[in-house]
Amino acid sequence: MGQPVRDYLLTLCVAAAVTYLLTGPVRKFAIAIGAMPAIRARDVHREPTPRLGGIAMFGGLCAGLIVASHLFNLGGVFELSNEPRALLSGAALIWLIGVLDDKFEIDALIKLGGQMIAAAVMVIQGLTILWLPIPGVGTVALTPWQGTLLTVALVVITINAVNFVDGLDGLAAGMVCIAAAAFFLYTYRLWYGYGIEAAAPATLFAAILMGMCLGFLPHNMHPARIFMGDSGSMLIGLVLAAGAISVTGQVDPDAMKLFEGSERQATHAMLPVFIPLLLPLTIIAIPAADLVLAIVRRTWNGQSPFAADRGHLHHRLLEIGHSHSRSVLIMYFWSALIAFGAVGYSVHSASMWIVLVVVFLSAIGLVLLLLPRFTPRAPRWANSLVPPRYRRRRPVALTEESPEELPEEGTVAPEAHGSHLADEDADTPPVAVGVSGVNGATAIGTRSRFSDRRRANSSR
């Protein structure tokens, strides 16, 4: 097979286009069947939003696999391996469970059982971990039962990690797309750089996964018009795990010439073999940290570890003062730093420049994270050139005659609105300063509640 860059690009574009075009009709279908759950106390969005975006993403997966099977450079993947069919079988099962959950909200234990069954279906068809690379020991062959248990565990953990991070508009799809891009670079280097054709299925899975996420993101970025729901988050989590499982145990150290030189050099050279097990952790790292902090926080407060709250990492970013979009971009930044840093270190593990660049970018990320705590103020002559949050306010002169008539900072004087305020609905709670309207991107504040039930059940 020749260099299949154009074939991968075509497959990616087809998966993205099909996902993008299907999302609009899927949104209308979700509204028609009532797949729009009511807003919960922990939700960030302000209006009921349809789910079932995973239907469009599953269409993109099927389209990508069909197109790839008819391409010259990628058709051999389907002839030499049964892994694409195994992926499609497991994805169809997990997608069906997700669709039912988006509409009827099935029990968590039933979803967990479905995830394990989907992973077992892939194992039966040959998509399993054959052996593990152990530092200092070498490659350790696994028994069928050990390979099955490890495969099921990796699939379940990755699926729930992606599902757990799906808390802001565009967050899960973007983070998975970043992890898939890094994984694609790694697996493509194994295939074309070292001539290991066993890495071809994982490279194809990563390309299709990028297309699915890129096609869905325009509809899911803030303010989101549709959510992927469990049908989408569990699906992309399974595809991400399938790529890691496919390439693990298929890398031949002899073909990569890893054991030339001293033992220390061989240990450094073995790093590319460990990356398939590490890259899925790039998407799990942030959700896992959030999960541990949530369990500690809820237990410390005397609550159940499974009790929902508004203390997750994305909620904390909003409370610090970041906007919705900037919170998502910050988490994108950290995901890209971990994923591409791992890939870069696997390529040049002996170079200190990789470590220095990662440290420098980490420092930049910390500055961006704490930026709202140190909001600069522009000079008065530049007030018209900067956003309102950076403008310097003019001092208010207090008078001795009527100091009580002056409005407090951040409020609006009643006379500025006229007498029509008295006719407003008294049951409508006021909106706190700094909290935008329905589609604004600001920090968390007092949440407005709908006084009209018809408005709460509207499509937007």
Side-chain angles (χ1 to χ4, degrees), residues 30-104:
I31 295 174
I33 66 173
M36 298 175 57
I39 298 178
R40 298 162 297 186
R42 66 179 186 272
D43 290 335
V44 177
H45 60 283
R46 304 288 179 84
E47 291 183 336
T49 305
R51 295 182 179 178
L52 293 178
I55 296 179
M57 303 180 83
F58 183 73
L61 171 65
C62 295
L65 291 175
I66 292 174
V67 170
S69 65
H70 290 83
L71 296 178
F72 175 75
N73 289 320
L74 301 182
V77 176
F78 296 83
E79 297 175 359
L80 302 176
S81 174
N82 196 45
E83 292 180 357
R85 299 177 183 85
L87 170 65
L88 186 59
S89 302
L93 180 58
I94 202 70
W95 169 77
L96 180 61
I97 295 173
V99 170
L100 295 177
D101 181 67
D102 289 341
K103 181 61 178 72
F104 302 106

Side-chain angles (χ1 to χ4, degrees), residues 222-379:
H222 184 74
R225 303 181 69 248
I226 186 173
F227 295 152
M228 67 172 65
D230 283 359
S231 59
S233 62
M234 293 197 301
L235 175 64
I236 60 178
L238 181 136
V239 177
L240 181 64
I245 293 169
S246 173
V247 76
T248 301
Q250 303 292 343
V251 179
D252 184 6
D254 295 330
M256 299 178 66
K257 300 179 181 179
L258 297 178
F259 298 111
E260 296 179 351
S262 64
E263 182 179 355
R264 182 175 182 180
Q265 292 175 344
T267 303
H268 281 290
M270 279 294 290
L271 280 173
V273 184
F274 306 138
I275 295 300
L277 299 178
L278 297 179
L279 274 182
L281 298 179
T282 61
I283 185 62
I284 299 175
I286 295 178
D290 197 4
L291 176 63
V292 173
L293 292 175
I295 293 176
V296 173
R297 179 180 64 253
R298 294 164 185 171
T299 305
W300 183 266
N301 294 331
Q303 301 176 348
S304 170
F306 303 100
D309 58 14
R310 293 173 62 87
H312 295 296
L313 292 178
H314 49 271
H315 292 137
R316 297 299 179 92
L317 289 174
L318 295 174
E319 291 175 354
I320 289 175
H322 293 289
S323 65
H324 190 296
S325 300
R326 187 163 35 174
S327 300
V328 172
L329 292 177
I330 288 175
M331 299 192 77
Y332 284 177
F333 173 84
W334 285 106
S335 297
L337 182 61
I338 297 173
F340 288 98
V343 173
Y345 189 72
S346 71
V347 177
H348 299 286
S349 59
S351 177
M352 283 299 298
W353 286 104
I354 301 296
V355 178
L356 294 177
V357 169
V358 170
V359 172
F360 176 73
L361 293 177
S362 300
I364 294 178
L366 290 176
V367 172
L368 295 175
L369 187 64
L370 301 176
L371 188 60
R373 298 295 188 185
F374 307 98
T375 304
R377 297 298 180 185

Side-chain angles (χ1 to χ4, degrees), residues 182-242:
F183 196 75
F184 175 84
L185 294 177
Y186 166 74
T187 53
Y188 185 80
R189 178 173 176 264
L190 289 183
W191 182 14
Y192 189 70
Y194 292 98
I196 302 175
E197 294 189 1
T203 312
L204 176 62
F205 298 164
I208 295 177
L209 182 58
M210 281 191 290
M212 295 163 57
C213 296
L214 290 175
F216 185 72
L217 271 175
H219 299 274
N220 191 233
M221 293 301 291
H222 184 74
R225 303 181 69 248
I226 186 173
F227 295 152
M228 67 172 65
D230 283 359
S231 59
S233 62
M234 293 197 301
L235 175 64
I236 60 178
L238 181 136
V239 177
L240 181 64

